[in-house]
Amino acid sequence: MRKNVSLARLIESNKENLNNNQMFIDLIEEKVHRKQVEMQERHLTKQAGEGNVIKKGLVITTNDNLS
């Protein structure tokens, strides 16, 4: 009988560990996803900023040639 009780406790403990591990994995996946979105937004913002710099450079060049 004692072995059965120990085995039952071990099984419950393993289930709890699995649940805790899954919660940890879910948390990490969520953080990774947020970081990927943040990096993508930064990349798009940077691209938009580079486009503005190029446009401003063209305007300055065009104005310089007209003077």
Side-chain angles (χ1 to χ4, degrees):
M1 180 86 177
R2 188 169 188 200
K3 287 184 181 180
N4 290 340
V5 172
S6 295
L7 185 58
R9 285 184 187 159
L10 182 61
I11 290 169
E12 284 304 312
S13 177
N14 284 341
K15 285 180 183 179
E16 287 178 24
N17 287 336
L18 286 172
N19 287 336
N20 288 339
N21 289 343
Q22 188 60 54
M23 287 171 44
F24 180 71
I25 289 169
D26 292 345
L27 178 65
I28 296 297
E29 287 177 343
E30 184 180 325
K31 286 184 177 186
V32 167
H33 177 71
R34 277 195 303 236
K35 194 66 167 178
Q36 286 173 334
V37 169
E38 180 183 316
M39 290 175 70
Q40 187 177 21
E41 287 172 353
R42 266 196 228 155
H43 180 69
L44 293 174
T45 302
K46 184 178 177 186
Q47 282 183 331
E50 289 171 356
N52 289 339
V53 170
I54 291 168
K55 288 177 188 174
K56 287 178 184 174
L58 292 174
V59 170
I60 292 170
T61 304
T62 303
N63 289 340
D64 288 346
N65 288 337
L66 292 176
S67 309

